[in-house]
Amino acid sequence: PTRRSSDLFFKKLFNELLNDQQIIKGIKGYLTRASNEVKKYSSRITGVSLNGSVDIGVNERIDYYYECTELIKNFEGNNKNILVIIDEYPDALNNIIKNDKKSATKFLQQNRDFRGLTSDVNLQFIYTGSTGLKNIVTKLDRLDLINDLNTIQISPLKKDEATLLIQRLTLGFQEDNKNFEIT
């Protein structure tokens, strides 16, 4: 179950990345490679559902962390800025810690490695949550795995304040890309 927690996180991230039309446009090379891999494993597919999920034989497993890193490394879009916002990240980490501290440390290391991917993509993360990430990571005594992050305390915003914040955050991107919008 603990490995599944990390896998589930990267599976959700992978699916969210694939749901963004700008990212889809920029990963043709990745999709071609993935298509070739699917052909190799087609004999091991045990079922396909109408909602798009694919069941692979019991001994086969998709490594979603690896797939997320490959997707970013192969991104060739015109707009090379990817902003990933993850809500309640500290709570997700805390749930992994409750089951297995070793898995939680590996999860943090994977996230740090993912943030540090070297590619032409400007990959940025915003982790949010009502619980401070530093407080959770202190349980593992591994603050070194988040020392690349900046902490910003934000009290709850009113709706008009939140709208104004989003407008101001997008102004910088819109200077470089007039068609930029948050989806």
Side-chain angles (χ1 to χ4, degrees), residues 46-91:
T46 58
V48 178
S49 72
L50 293 176
N51 72 359
S53 66
V54 176
D55 293 326
I56 300 175
V58 175
N59 294 329
E60 300 300 322
R61 176 177 220 148
I62 295 173
D63 183 344
Y64 285 102
Y65 169 73
Y66 172 79
E67 294 304 328
C68 283
T69 59
E70 287 300 301
L71 187 148
I72 296 300
K73 288 178 185 177
N74 288 281
F75 184 73
E76 300 169 348
N78 291 333
N79 181 358
K80 300 216 179 208
N81 296 307
I82 298 176
L83 176 64
V84 178
I85 302 172
I86 302 172
D87 193 20
E88 299 302 343
Y89 181 78
D91 288 339

Side-chain angles (χ1 to χ4, degrees), residues 158-170:
K158 297 176 185 135
K159 185 173 179 165
D160 59 329
E161 292 172 325
T163 302
L164 183 60
L165 174 63
I166 290 170
Q167 289 170 346
R168 288 184 178 171
L169 288 173
T170 60

Side-chain angles (χ1 to χ4, degrees), residues 13 65 68-69 72 110-117 123 125:
L13 178 60
Y65 169 73
C68 283
T69 59
I72 296 300
Q110 285 178 319
N111 275 266
R112 182 181 176 97
D113 293 345
F114 192 68
R115 288 190 304 270
L117 285 177
L123 182 64
F125 288 83

